Amino acid sequence: MESARISQWLNLLVCVLLLLKAEGSLVPLILVENAESKGAVCLDGSPPAYHFDKGFGEGINSWIVHIEGGGWCNNIESCLDRKDTRLGSSKQMEDIYFSGILSNEQQFNPDFYNWNRVKVRYCDGSSFTGDVEEVDPTTNLHFRGARIFSAVIEELLAKGLERAENAILSGCSAGGLTTILHCDSFKTFLPSRANVKCVPDAGYFVNVEDISGAHFIQQYYSEVVSTHGSAKNLPTSCTSKLSPTLCFFPQYVASHISTPIFVVNSAYDSWQIRYIFVPGSADPSDSWNSCKVNMSNCSPDQLSKLQGFKSEFERALSEVGDSPSKGMFIDSCYAHCQTEPQETWFKTDSPKLANTTIAKAVADWFYGRSSFRHVDCNYPCNPSCQNRVFDLKDLPGI
């Protein structure tokens, strides 16, 4: 009996270790202590933070800087709601696991496992574009996202990024938007000889009408830009021609990006469908809830409208251009963010286009082994998709 119990415990331990290995390695939080003297602080005035796992072997001079996502705050009230959470304060952040594109295991991340891998935490609510000098003492809100970006990169340069031979700026969701908006400026920090490229994931937010015909997301972004004082930190190649609000959208910036860029996105991005195409304000009767929870529940009319969204997304995506330096992996999965989760980045059952995983497509493009530029067929055509299924409680407002 005793040996049987020991065997059971050993089996359980092995299972736990395997689960931890699959989840990735726990990486400690690092505060940018000298950032406060520069005013480069989170919404609550605390110092910004990041996680760093040092590279090794042939990857010692190669870097991935990955930006955390988490939406935006568009006014004082919504920024106050974030202020005392991990999306507004480093005081609420903890150590995290690295996986997917940040994994240090070759079997889970074949081409980048031994690089220096960094995850920059997101605590400003503006995709690192804000910079307002004055701080209202009644709210103590700091809008300093652009300063945070510079302060973190400067600290990483001192840790070896200044010697980088290869570098990728990436990020998920609002971090993917950060990647697009800061792609060219990131390259200016790096040595001129370095091979620098950008890989935004689920950050190609499009300016489309919602199902009611309103421009909900355009108005929302206008408020983000105004609240955070973002205009001066958006790409001047865009703001010299268009309004700052429009220059918060990738489709108006993409054609001006000179740094090589690879867009990873779903054409049916679950976040965009839930909060841009069918926001709560456009569906007061909640008739889309079942569809937004699981696309297989969509009615023929709803599915037709979603195919229309995909067409609008593809038109916006065409602004990236067809240069060989511009790649893309646009699947038809009902998903949002696919480079960090191990299941979608690189496993035997990961989503595929042209029989290629996201990990292989990005790596082949980065190293110049082959180009990759594929847009999937219409939902539900791709059997490799890992489509999200949400709970109703996961459908709050933007």
Side-chain angles (χ1 to χ4, degrees):
M1 289 293 291
E2 185 65 28
S3 62
R5 281 197 294 270
I6 292 174
S7 178
Q8 289 174 343
W9 276 108
L10 287 174
N11 288 335
L12 179 61
L13 178 61
V14 169
C15 290
V16 169
L17 290 174
L18 288 173
L19 285 171
L20 288 174
K21 189 177 182 66
E23 187 174 21
S25 53
L26 188 64
V27 184
L29 185 75
I30 301 172
L31 299 178
V32 186
E33 298 290 0
N34 67 349
E36 291 180 276
S37 64
K38 304 173 183 176
V41 293
C42 300
L43 285 171
D44 72 333
S46 61
Y50 64 95
H51 306 262
F52 173 44
D53 198 12
K54 190 172 177 58
F56 55 94
E58 294 182 356
I60 195 67
N61 288 320
S62 296
W63 291 71
I64 290 177
V65 179
H66 187 85
I67 313 295
E68 182 180 30
W72 312 270
C73 57
N74 62 320
N75 53 37
I76 298 301
E77 181 181 4
S78 63
C79 291
L80 284 172
D81 287 342
R82 294 168 72 102
K83 179 182 171 184
D84 296 320
T85 74
R86 64 175 179 81
L87 292 174
S89 172
S90 60
K91 297 175 185 177
Q92 307 301 322
M93 298 175 185
E94 299 177 343
D95 300 346
I96 62 171
Y97 284 95
F98 275 9
S99 61
I101 194 173
L102 295 176
S103 173
N104 65 355
E105 295 286 341
Q106 187 172 10
Q107 62 179 314
F108 298 129
N109 191 22
D111 289 277
F112 308 116
Y113 72 98
N114 59 358
W115 284 30
N116 296 280
R117 285 151 292 104
V118 178
K119 182 165 184 176
V120 181
R121 301 302 296 268
Y122 180 42
C123 64
D124 72 280
S126 73
S127 284
F128 295 90
T129 61
D131 193 354
V132 177
E133 182 64 36
E134 295 182 8
V135 178
D136 186 338
T138 61
T139 63
N140 197 39
L141 284 170
H142 297 70
F143 302 113
R144 305 283 180 76
R147 297 192 202 185
I148 292 175
F149 185 84
S150 296
V152 172
I153 298 301
E154 287 168 6
E155 176 150 326
L156 295 177
L157 288 169
K159 288 195 169 184
L161 183 61
E162 64 182 3
R163 298 186 297 276
E165 296 171 0
N166 298 295
I168 290 175
L169 178 67
S170 69
C172 152
S173 192
L177 178 58
T178 301
T179 302
I180 293 169
L181 297 178
H182 286 279
C183 183
D184 282 341
S185 64
F186 175 72
K187 183 176 173 61
T188 65
F189 283 99
L190 278 292
S192 59
R193 66 183 183 282
N195 182 22
V196 182
K197 300 185 180 183
C198 301
V199 183
D201 175 14
Y204 208 93
F205 299 95
V206 293
N207 187 15
V208 297
E209 292 182 352
D210 63 34
I211 57 168
S212 73
H215 291 271
F216 171 79
I217 192 62
Q218 185 172 319
Q219 178 59 35
Y220 183 86
Y221 275 177
S222 175
E223 294 168 7
V224 172
V225 170
S226 175
T227 298
H228 291 267
S230 299
K232 58 183 174 292
N233 297 308
L234 297 171
T236 56
S237 56
C238 180
T239 55
S240 63
K241 302 172 184 175
L242 299 172
S243 72
T245 294
L246 292 181
C247 295
F248 208 74
F249 287 97
Q251 67 201 78
Y252 305 110
V253 174
S255 64
H256 303 293
I257 297 174
S258 59
T259 306
I261 190 168
F262 189 104
V263 179
V264 177
N265 226 104
S266 169
Y268 302 90
D269 184 282
S270 57
W271 195 95
Q272 294 199 53
I273 287 172
R274 292 158 65 202
Y275 299 122
I276 291 180
F277 191 56
V278 195
S281 59
D283 182 34
S285 64
D286 295 331
S287 62
W288 277 74
N289 268 5
S290 179
C291 175
K292 290 194 292 184
V293 164
N294 185 341
M295 269 188 73
S296 66
N297 295 334
C298 297
S299 69
D301 180 62
Q302 289 171 331
L303 196 57
S304 176
K305 286 181 170 64
L306 291 176
Q307 307 299 14
F309 172 85
K310 178 176 184 277
S311 296
E312 289 292 325
F313 180 87
E314 290 179 24
R315 274 192 284 273
L317 189 67
S318 68
E319 295 298 327
V320 172
D322 56 5
S323 163
S325 69
K326 310 290 178 69
M328 58 183 65
F329 187 108
I330 311 298
D331 57 33
S332 60
C333 309
Y334 191 52
H336 182 67
C337 292
Q338 300 179 87
T339 58
E340 263 193 289
Q342 195 61 56
E343 292 74 13
T344 47
W345 173 248
F346 187 76
K347 289 188 79 173
T348 54
D349 59 348
S350 294
K352 295 180 178 66
L353 290 179
N355 202 33
T356 305
T357 62
I358 298 172
K360 188 175 189 304
V362 170
D364 285 350
W365 166 83
F366 182 86
Y367 284 112
R369 296 192 291 245
S370 65
S371 59
F372 195 93
R373 189 183 183 86
H374 288 273
V375 178
D376 211 351
C377 47
N378 287 350
Y379 174 92
C381 66
N382 190 337
S384 71
C385 277
Q386 297 188 5
N387 296 309
R388 287 291 308 274
V389 176
F390 298 92
D391 291 328
L392 280 174
K393 63 182 175 59
D394 294 326
L395 297 175
I398 192 169

